[in-house]
Amino acid sequence: MLNGKTAIITGASRGIGAAVARKLSSLGADTALVCAGKIDLAEAVSAECRSLGVRSKSYLCDVADFQAAKELVGQVKKDFGGVDLLVNNAGITRDGLILTMSEADFDAVLDVNLKGAFHMIRHCAPLFLRQKRGAIVNLSSVAGLMGNPGQGNYAASKAGLIGLTKTVARELASRGITCNAVAPGFIDTDMTRALPLDREELLKTIPLGRVGTPEEVAQAVVFLLEAGYITGEVLRVDGGIAM
Ligand code: NAP
């Protein structure tokens, strides 16, 4: 069902986005990999995808920039002949307690995590509507469901994505277009490796007793991209943290 489709995956140079790109390629989809600066990493992932016999290209684009996102979608359409799937995975953190968080850190996280997804959906939706098909998955987080001390900006962006997901799902459902979210818990990537955490204490908060892998999140993303009768859903991949 994903065979021959074209997917845009933002934040695909590493971590969860790279795992989604690899998984989609293994299922026969062509992939447009988007990153913010680490184009060498994105190109390496793209080469892995091509080695699986599908088309893949890497692109530099700051998804927080409305116009740049528009140009990106236009370029992908030109390069691949269309766009069928969108995975809004690009994300950043700028952690800090509310009492000390700067306006710049709040804005930066909202601009990439939430507005970036809006920009990509805004520019892909007209294509999806014309085709009367398309599927979107947004990467939210358990922080958006539960809150997390030190992550007011991040949790707000991820909770905002859930509202955006459900609204887009309702607005586009009549044309057969789905929009869902995945809410990962603690996944082993650069993002979490950068956190100053006591790993043993952390594992005590996870019912399954371990952190997740990017591949486990990718599996859920691909499931939702394929599932034609699920829309507006938020699927946790969190080892039970937020149950
Ligand atoms: P990561 O390893 O830190 O990778 C972030 C990716 O986003 C990179 O490809 C980066 O590109 C890209 N990116 C950052 N800013 C961008 C921008 N302005 N425009 C375009 N691309 C941009 O992240 P991850 O851990 O895989 O997380 C992926 C998503 O899952 C994020 O939305 C994150 O919030 C969410 N999530 C992660 C976890 C977790 O435990 N890891 C948990 C819950 C939710 P460059 O490489 O070029 O910088």
Side-chain angles (χ1 to χ4, degrees), residues 10-17 34-39 41 61-64 88-92 112-113 139-142 154 158 183-192:
T10 68
S13 49
R14 47 204 168 102
I16 294 169
V34 184
C35 72
K38 296 190 169 59
I39 192 70
L41 290 185
C61 173
D62 177 3
V63 295
N88 283 310
N89 167 81
I92 60 168
V112 174
N113 298 9
L139 269 292
S140 179
S141 166
V142 291
Y154 183 80
K158 296 299 182 181
F186 201 90
I187 310 301
D188 191 18
T189 68
D190 291 348
M191 183 176 276
T192 47

Coordinates of all heavy atoms in Angstrom, one line a residue, residues 10-17 34-39 41 61-64 88-92 112-113 139-142 154 158 183-192, ligand 1:
T10 N 10.2 15.2 7.7 CA 11.1 16.3 8.2 C 11.9 15.8 9.4 O 11.5 14.9 10.1 CB 10.2 17.5 8.6 OG1 9.5 17.2 9.8 CG2 9.3 18.0 7.5
G11 N 13.1 16.4 9.5 CA 14.0 15.9 10.6 C 14.5 14.5 10.4 O 14.5 13.7 11.3
A12 N 14.8 14.2 9.1 CA 15.1 12.8 8.8 C 16.6 12.5 8.7 O 17.1 11.5 8.2 CB 14.5 12.5 7.4
S13 N 17.5 13.4 9.2 CA 18.9 13.2 9.1 C 19.4 12.3 10.2 O 20.5 11.8 10.1 CB 19.6 14.6 9.3 OG 19.1 15.3 10.3
R14 N 18.6 12.1 11.2 CA 19.0 11.2 12.4 C 17.8 10.8 13.2 O 16.7 11.3 12.9 CB 20.0 11.9 13.2 CG 19.7 13.4 13.6 CD 20.9 14.2 14.0 NE 20.6 15.6 14.0 CZ 20.4 16.3 15.2 NH1 20.6 15.6 16.3 NH2 20.2 17.6 15.2
G15 N 18.0 10.0 14.2 CA 17.0 9.7 15.2 C 15.7 9.1 14.6 O 15.8 8.2 13.7
I16 N 14.6 9.5 15.1 CA 13.3 8.9 14.7 C 13.0 9.1 13.2 O 12.6 8.2 12.5 CB 12.2 9.5 15.6 CG1 12.4 9.0 17.0 CG2 10.8 9.1 15.0 CD1 11.5 9.7 18.0
G17 N 13.3 10.3 12.7 CA 13.0 10.6 11.3 C 13.8 9.7 10.4 O 13.3 9.3 9.3
V34 N 14.2 15.7 4.9 CA 14.4 17.1 5.2 C 15.2 17.3 6.5 O 14.9 16.6 7.5 CB 13.1 17.9 5.4 CG1 13.3 19.4 5.6 CG2 12.2 17.6 4.1
C35 N 16.2 18.2 6.5 CA 16.9 18.5 7.7 C 17.2 20.0 7.8 O 17.1 20.7 6.8 CB 18.2 17.7 7.8 SG 19.5 18.2 6.6
A36 N 17.7 20.4 8.9 CA 17.9 21.8 9.2 C 19.3 22.3 8.8 O 19.6 23.5 8.5 CB 17.6 22.2 10.6
G37 N 20.3 21.4 8.9 CA 21.7 21.8 8.7 C 22.6 20.6 8.4 O 23.6 20.8 7.7
K38 N 22.3 19.5 9.0 CA 23.2 18.3 8.9 C 23.0 17.5 7.6 O 22.6 16.4 7.6 CB 23.1 17.4 10.1 CG 23.5 18.2 11.4 CD 23.6 17.3 12.6 CE 24.3 17.9 13.8 NZ 23.6 19.1 14.3
I39 N 23.2 18.2 6.5 CA 22.9 17.6 5.2 C 23.7 16.4 4.9 O 23.2 15.5 4.2 CB 23.0 18.7 4.0 CG1 22.3 18.2 2.7 CG2 24.4 19.1 3.8 CD1 20.8 18.1 2.8
L41 N 24.5 14.1 7.0 CA 23.8 12.9 7.6 C 22.6 12.6 6.8 O 22.3 11.4 6.6 CB 23.4 13.3 9.0 CG 24.5 13.5 10.1 CD1 23.9 13.8 11.5 CD2 25.4 12.3 10.1
C61 N 16.0 22.5 4.7 CA 14.9 23.5 4.9 C 14.6 23.7 6.3 O 14.5 22.8 7.1 CB 13.7 22.9 4.2 SG 12.2 23.9 4.4
D62 N 14.5 25.0 6.7 CA 14.1 25.3 8.0 C 12.5 25.3 8.0 O 11.9 26.2 7.5 CB 14.6 26.7 8.4 CG 14.1 27.1 9.8 OD1 13.4 26.4 10.5 OD2 14.4 28.3 10.2
V63 N 11.9 24.3 8.6 CA 10.5 24.2 8.5 C 9.8 25.4 9.3 O 8.6 25.6 9.1 CB 9.9 22.8 9.1 CG1 10.4 21.7 8.2 CG2 10.3 22.6 10.5
A64 N 10.5 26.1 10.1 CA 9.9 27.2 10.8 C 9.6 28.4 9.9 O 9.0 29.4 10.3 CB 10.8 27.7 12.0
N88 N 5.6 14.9 9.9 CA 6.1 16.1 10.6 C 6.9 15.7 11.9 O 6.3 15.5 12.9 CB 5.0 17.1 11.0 CG 4.5 17.8 9.8 OD1 5.3 18.4 9.0 ND2 3.2 17.8 9.5
N89 N 8.2 15.5 11.7 CA 9.0 14.9 12.8 C 10.1 15.9 13.3 O 10.6 15.7 14.4 CB 9.7 13.6 12.2 CG 10.8 13.1 13.1 OD1 10.5 12.4 14.1 ND2 12.0 13.4 12.8
A90 N 10.4 16.9 12.5 CA 11.4 17.9 12.9 C 11.0 18.5 14.3 O 9.9 18.9 14.5 CB 11.5 19.0 11.9
G91 N 12.0 18.5 15.2 CA 11.7 19.0 16.5 C 13.0 19.4 17.3 O 14.1 18.9 17.0
I92 N 12.8 20.4 18.2 CA 14.0 20.8 19.0 C 13.5 21.0 20.4 O 12.3 21.0 20.7 CB 14.5 22.2 18.5 CG1 13.5 23.3 18.5 CG2 15.1 22.0 17.1 CD1 14.1 24.7 18.3
V112 N 9.5 25.8 15.5 CA 9.9 24.6 14.8 C 8.9 23.5 15.0 O 8.3 23.0 14.0 CB 11.3 24.1 15.3 CG1 11.7 22.8 14.6 CG2 12.4 25.2 15.0
N113 N 8.6 23.2 16.2 CA 7.8 22.0 16.5 C 6.3 22.2 16.1 O 5.7 21.2 15.6 CB 7.8 21.7 18.0 CG 9.2 21.4 18.5 OD1 10.2 21.6 17.8 ND2 9.3 21.0 19.8
L139 N 4.7 14.1 14.9 CA 5.4 13.6 16.1 C 5.1 14.5 17.3 O 5.6 15.6 17.4 CB 6.9 13.5 15.8 CG 7.3 12.1 15.3 CD1 7.2 11.0 16.3 CD2 6.6 11.7 14.0
S140 N 4.2 14.1 18.1 CA 3.9 14.8 19.4 C 4.8 14.2 20.5 O 6.0 13.8 20.2 CB 2.4 14.6 19.8 OG 2.1 15.2 21.0
S141 N 4.4 14.1 21.7 CA 5.2 13.5 22.8 C 4.3 13.3 24.0 O 3.3 14.0 24.2 CB 6.3 14.6 23.1 OG 6.9 14.2 24.4
V142 N 4.8 12.4 24.9 CA 4.1 12.3 26.1 C 4.1 13.6 26.9 O 3.3 13.8 27.8 CB 4.6 11.1 27.0 CG1 4.2 9.7 26.3 CG2 6.0 11.2 27.3
Y154 N 8.3 23.1 25.1 CA 8.2 21.8 24.4 C 6.9 21.1 24.6 O 6.2 20.7 23.6 CB 9.4 20.9 24.8 CG 9.5 19.6 24.1 CD1 10.1 19.5 22.9 CD2 9.0 18.4 24.7 CE1 10.2 18.3 22.2 CE2 9.1 17.2 24.0 CZ 9.7 17.1 22.8 OH 9.8 15.9 22.1
K158 N 4.0 20.4 21.8 CA 3.5 19.0 21.5 C 2.0 18.8 21.8 O 1.4 18.0 21.2 CB 4.4 18.0 22.3 CG 5.8 18.0 21.9 CD 6.0 17.6 20.5 CE 7.5 17.5 20.0 NZ 7.6 17.1 18.6
A183 N 2.8 9.8 19.9 CA 3.4 10.4 21.1 C 4.4 9.5 21.7 O 4.1 8.6 22.6 CB 2.3 10.7 22.1
P184 N 5.7 9.7 21.4 CA 6.7 8.8 22.0 C 7.0 9.2 23.4 O 6.8 10.4 23.8 CB 8.0 9.1 21.1 CG 7.5 9.8 19.9 CD 6.3 10.6 20.3
G185 N 7.5 8.3 24.2 CA 8.0 8.5 25.5 C 9.5 8.9 25.5 O 9.9 9.8 24.8
F186 N 10.3 8.0 26.1 CA 11.7 8.3 26.1 C 12.4 7.4 25.1 O 12.5 6.2 25.3 CB 12.2 8.0 27.5 CG 13.5 8.7 27.8 CD1 13.5 10.0 28.3 CD2 14.7 8.1 27.5 CE1 14.7 10.7 28.6 CE2 15.9 8.8 27.8 CZ 15.9 10.0 28.3
I187 N 12.9 8.0 24.0 CA 13.5 7.2 22.9 C 15.0 7.5 22.8 O 15.4 8.7 23.0 CB 12.8 7.6 21.6 CG1 11.2 7.5 21.7 CG2 13.3 6.7 20.4 CD1 10.7 6.2 22.1
D188 N 15.7 6.5 22.5 CA 17.2 6.7 22.5 C 17.7 7.4 21.2 O 17.8 6.8 20.2 CB 17.8 5.3 22.6 CG 19.3 5.4 22.9 OD1 19.8 6.5 23.3 OD2 20.0 4.4 22.6
T189 N 17.8 8.7 21.3 CA 18.3 9.5 20.2 C 19.2 10.6 20.7 O 19.3 10.8 21.9 CB 17.1 10.2 19.4 OG1 16.5 11.2 20.3 CG2 16.0 9.2 19.0
D190 N 19.7 11.5 19.8 CA 20.6 12.6 20.2 C 19.8 13.5 21.2 O 20.4 14.1 22.1 CB 20.9 13.5 19.0 CG 21.9 12.7 18.1 OD1 22.5 11.7 18.5 OD2 22.1 13.2 16.9
M191 N 18.5 13.7 20.9 CA 17.7 14.6 21.7 C 17.7 14.2 23.2 O 17.9 15.0 24.1 CB 16.2 14.6 21.2 CG 15.3 15.6 21.9 SD 13.7 15.7 21.2 CE 13.9 16.9 19.9
T192 N 17.5 12.9 23.5 CA 17.5 12.5 24.9 C 18.9 12.2 25.5 O 19.1 12.4 26.7 CB 16.7 11.2 25.0 OG1 17.1 10.3 24.0 CG2 15.2 11.4 24.8
Ligands
NAP1 P1 16.8 14.5 17.0 O1 17.6 13.2 17.0 O2 17.2 15.6 17.9 O3 16.7 15.0 15.5 C1 16.0 16.2 15.2 C2 15.8 16.3 13.7 O4 15.0 17.5 13.4 C3 17.1 16.4 12.9 O5 16.9 15.8 11.7 C4 17.2 17.9 12.7 O6 18.0 18.3 11.5 C5 15.7 18.3 12.5 N1 15.4 19.7 12.7 C6 15.6 20.4 13.8 N2 15.2 21.7 13.6 C7 14.7 21.7 12.3 C8 14.1 22.8 11.5 N3 14.0 24.0 11.9 N4 13.8 22.5 10.2 C9 14.0 21.2 9.7 N5 14.5 20.2 10.4 C10 14.8 20.5 11.7 O7 15.3 14.2 17.4 P2 14.5 12.8 17.7 O8 14.8 12.5 19.1 O9 14.7 11.9 16.6 O10 13.0 13.4 17.7 C11 12.2 13.4 16.5 C12 10.8 13.9 16.9 O11 10.2 13.1 17.9 C13 10.9 15.3 17.5 O12 9.7 16.1 17.0 C14 10.8 15.1 18.9 O13 10.2 16.2 19.6 C15 9.9 13.9 19.0 N6 10.0 13.1 20.2 C16 11.2 12.6 20.5 C17 11.3 11.9 21.7 C18 12.6 11.2 22.1 O14 12.7 10.7 23.3 N7 13.7 11.3 21.4 C19 10.2 11.7 22.6 C20 9.0 12.3 22.2 C21 8.9 13.0 21.0 P3 19.6 18.5 11.7 O15 20.1 17.1 11.9 O16 20.0 19.1 10.3 O17 19.8 19.4 12.8

